Each structure stands twice: as C-alpha cells, then as structure tokens.
Amino acid sequence: MSTPTPYKQIRALHTPRTITLYQAYNHPIASAAVSAQSLTASPLFKTTRMTWIKPSWAWMLYRSGYSFKDANQSRILALTMSHEDFLWLLSQGVVSHRSPEEKGDQGGKKLGGVRIQWDPERDVKMERLGYRSIQIGIPGGEVCERWVGMVKKIEDVTDKARELKRVIDERPEVTVGVLKEMGLVPEEKVFEIEDEEVRKRLGMDWPVEPE
C-alpha cells in the first residue's frame, strides 16, 4: 500500500547537486536567455519585477496552458540551480497565506521577501490533486539580481510541453508511465527540506487548509 503524498511537499527533477525549476516567458526573452545562458540577455527581462518559478512540470503546464495560453507564456524554460542556492532562496521565503498565529499578530503588515505559495497540484492532464505544489515568487531588486546569477543552465522545453499535449489529445487514456517512457514527463522525486527553520518559513507543517 502506497503512502499518501504529504499535503505540502517539494517534488522536483533533481540530481545530487542540482534542481530544475520552470518559468514561461515570451519569445524575445526566452530566445536570448537560451542563446546566452542568461535570463538578463534580453532588455525585456526586468530584474525590477517579481517572477515566479516552480519545480512542478505539471503545474507549469497548467499555468501556461502547455505554452498556448498567451504570448507572454509561449516559451517554457527549464532553469537549473544548485541545491545550495535553491535552499538559500527558500530560506528567504515568506508564505503568502500566513498561519493563524501570524495572521493575528501581523495581519496588517505587507509581505516582503521571497513569496511562497502552496497551490493545488495538478497532473499532466490538468486534473486537480489532493495536495499542494510550491510556487516561489522572487521579488524585484537585489534578490532577483542575485537569483539570475544562480541559474546555472537554461533549456527550452516548449516543444516537450506541446508534444505532451498532442499525445494526450490524441490518446486520452495514455498513462503517466508511458509519457515518462516517451521522455515527456520528468521523474520528479521528493526534495527533502531538513532544516526546521526553513520548514517553518515555508509553512510545511501547518495544519491542512480547508479546500
């Protein structure tokens, strides 16, 4: 009997040293970023604006409509970071929806720093699942400038997203196992957060929120 997936858990494509996250951009930003291996290669990319990254391939597909949703999300990039840099980013996190204690003490204060949201996870067919997926909002300014320097590799995975949608449309009963064999779904495994202070900042152990 399989163990139920924890309500808040980070799942990602990762190696012993790196982790992959996703974000969608428009054509000029994505093309320049892949070519130069730098998100700031295009002047259209603004480090003064907040950007959201996520480790869930399925949630990225949901958010961007498999890259078809709109022109500003027409290219999906896979961004590789080191474990150390990713954990630093999380250590700066502030959960968008605070715990009951925090709401009572600081409910009127504006959130700052890296934003953390736990949104309903999806499968690659866009079905809602019974647990959450982390979204990480990187604020404009010094944190964003530091983060873009942490990205070690940039890969365009738009074609993979679109091929996945084509296969699902043509074969609605196709299983995730087959999609993985086709190289269209990555093998995302649990990325353990052992630091109790970071877990607390991320709200990973808060009571399950009512749907």
Side-chain angles (χ1 to χ4, degrees), residues 85-179:
D85 288 340
F86 180 63
L87 289 170
W88 177 85
L89 205 59
L90 296 181
S91 74
Q92 309 301 304
V94 177
V95 180
S96 295
H97 303 290
R98 295 191 179 95
S99 68
E101 293 81 5
E102 289 178 308
K103 287 178 181 177
D105 293 340
Q106 308 176 53
K109 293 184 179 180
K110 185 178 180 180
L111 292 173
V114 174
R115 295 284 294 276
I116 301 297
Q117 287 188 186
W118 292 95
D119 295 314
E121 180 63 288
R122 305 280 170 163
D123 64 19
V124 294
K125 296 181 182 180
M126 304 297 98
E127 294 297 322
R128 179 168 171 160
L129 302 177
Y131 45 88
R132 298 279 166 151
S133 181
I134 194 170
Q135 320 302 321
I136 304 162
I138 302 169
E142 292 182 7
V143 175
C144 190
E145 290 172 2
R146 179 169 178 175
W147 168 68
V148 295
M150 293 176 174
V151 177
K152 307 302 182 185
K153 179 183 176 182
I154 302 174
E155 180 184 0
D156 189 336
V157 290
T158 310
D159 288 345
K160 181 184 293 186
R162 295 185 174 190
E163 175 64 9
L164 174 58
K165 186 178 189 309
R166 185 192 68 79
V167 172
I168 291 173
D169 287 347
E170 293 182 0
R171 301 163 57 187
E173 303 305 316
V174 67
T175 66
V176 172
V178 170
L179 292 171

Side-chain angles (χ1 to χ4, degrees), residues 59-76:
W59 214 94
M60 181 70 263
L61 298 176
Y62 169 73
R63 181 68 181 84
S64 66
Y66 299 92
S67 82
F68 293 112
K69 188 173 184 178
D70 61 64
N72 284 325
Q73 299 185 79
S74 58
R75 298 276 293 279
I76 300 174

Side-chain angles (χ1 to χ4, degrees), residues 32-48:
V34 172
S35 179
Q37 289 294 291
S38 173
L39 287 171
T40 57
S42 169
L44 296 177
F45 183 91
K46 306 295 185 183
T47 58
T48 54

